[in-house]
Amino acid sequence: MNHFLDIHKTDPAHLRGIIDNAADMKKARLGRPKGALDDDQPLKDHMVALIFEKPSTRTRVSFDVGVRQMGGQTMVLSGTDMQLGHGETIADTARVLSRYVDLIMIRTFEEQTLLELAEYATVPVINGLTDRTHPCQIMADILTFEEKHGPIKGKKVVWSGDGNNVCASFIHAAGQFGFDLTFTGPQTLDPEEEFVNLARSQGSTITIERDPVKAAEGADLIVTDTWVSMHDPQSARERRHNQLYPYQVNEKLMSHANSDALFMHCLPAHRNEEATNAVMDGPQSVVFDEAENRLHAQKAVMRWCLEK
């Protein structure tokens, strides 16, 4: 069963195939109306369940459009529709859904919900986001980087800010795709040591550097994310702002990276907090290319899951 649960749980050769397939499908759609079906329709006669315990813009639209472009149909379910793990066990939900659909994508809070769903489902399950990781986003980011600068292997990526779920998946990707990653942020928000050690064991250099200027030197890519998650209280916002303001990505910080370095942010952004408008809208920013590439990367993930 080809579940896509995390980047470090997927074979590097398969990851490379997904990225290459995504690039090919994107090229094949050039100049076509956005609503047009792909010439190749691997999801024809397939039904995909999209489960959202967390609200979403890019994940919902990109998966929904991707399924439709490949000839399939979607069933979008919210946490209130299902009360996942409350009115019925996750295991039973997995067993029931598997009788109705061909593929399940879930965007949820607890990683255990994803893992239990995958354990008991008899159809592939895709991680659309958990509080711990966000692999689909990073697949889109790899695709975006390689469109602009070629293979990411051997490059230097800098993560500035909170060592959150997106950062975790970037560290997983460093080990699997063979690039180096420097984390710069406060010690209280360091990425998980387990993930850092795993990437290091695979030969990637994972560096923790408290000085953001030093971290940015020689960077090929600088990445950040919102300082406050959508479900965090106001008190957390104020505390995080004070902790993370020194790690804001601004023009000064970008000037210490390589002259052709890219800037990424998975969106939504709190402009002029984690990154300034000048960087977000500047010539090195590829944030909207990233957003578009969620569509193409996830189409390739779905094809891989269904062995299409």
Side-chain angles (χ1 to χ4, degrees), residues 103-217:
L103 179 65
I104 300 168
M105 188 287 303
I106 184 168
R107 180 180 172 93
T108 188
F109 293 91
E110 297 294 329
E111 180 185 49
Q112 187 56 38
T113 301
L114 168 77
L115 297 179
E116 191 171 348
L117 193 70
E119 180 180 357
Y120 291 97
T122 55
V123 299
V125 173
I126 295 173
N127 177 0
L129 175 140
T130 70
D131 285 346
R132 201 174 186 211
T133 59
H134 195 2
C136 287
Q137 178 63 55
I138 280 28
M139 294 298 283
D141 292 352
I142 301 293
L143 175 62
T144 304
F145 183 90
E146 295 194 341
E147 283 180 337
K148 308 294 182 182
H149 284 339
I152 198 169
K153 185 176 182 178
K155 301 296 186 180
K156 178 181 177 180
V157 174
V158 173
W159 180 277
S160 185
D162 179 8
N164 63 8
N165 52 355
V166 186
C167 177
S169 287
F170 241 121
I171 293 171
H172 290 157
Q176 297 287 66
F177 285 93
F179 60 86
D180 299 326
L181 187 142
T182 297
F183 171 83
T184 186
Q187 185 175 1
T188 53
L189 298 175
D190 276 354
E192 289 189 42
E193 187 175 358
E194 173 190 337
F195 296 159
V196 171
N197 290 339
L198 176 61
R200 285 173 175 166
S201 73
Q202 294 173 294
S204 292
T205 299
I206 308 297
T207 304
I208 307 295
E209 173 57 65
R210 302 299 171 204
D211 184 340
V213 170
K214 284 185 179 179
E217 292 173 357

Side-chain angles (χ1 to χ4, degrees), residues 7-142:
I7 287 175
H8 68 300
K9 296 178 180 178
T10 307
D11 185 85
H14 292 165
L15 293 170
R16 170 48 54 193
I18 291 169
I19 294 293
D20 292 345
N21 184 232
D24 289 343
M25 285 193 291
K26 182 176 181 179
K27 289 175 185 175
R29 290 195 62 85
L30 288 176
R32 303 185 64 185
K34 294 179 178 62
L37 293 176
D38 291 353
D39 290 333
D40 180 18
Q41 296 180 43
L43 267 63
K44 181 176 169 54
D45 299 326
H46 285 64
M47 177 66 71
V48 180
L50 306 177
I51 304 172
F52 293 93
E53 288 200 297
K54 282 189 174 185
S56 167
T57 298
R58 277 150 295 278
T59 300
R60 176 166 179 166
V61 175
S62 57
F63 266 107
D64 201 345
V65 170
V67 172
R68 293 167 189 257
Q69 286 182 352
M70 294 192 291
Q73 298 184 61
T74 59
M75 176 184 298
V76 181
L77 301 165
S78 71
T80 55
D81 291 331
M82 304 188 67
Q83 296 187 343
L84 195 64
H86 301 291
E88 180 177 54
T89 66
I90 295 167
D92 284 352
T93 298
R95 293 182 179 106
V96 170
L97 280 179
S98 297
R99 301 294 182 101
Y100 299 143
V101 304
D102 303 288
L103 179 65
I104 300 168
M105 188 287 303
I106 184 168
R107 180 180 172 93
T108 188
F109 293 91
E110 297 294 329
E111 180 185 49
Q112 187 56 38
T113 301
L114 168 77
L115 297 179
E116 191 171 348
L117 193 70
E119 180 180 357
Y120 291 97
T122 55
V123 299
V125 173
I126 295 173
N127 177 0
L129 175 140
T130 70
D131 285 346
R132 201 174 186 211
T133 59
H134 195 2
C136 287
Q137 178 63 55
I138 280 28
M139 294 298 283
D141 292 352
I142 301 293

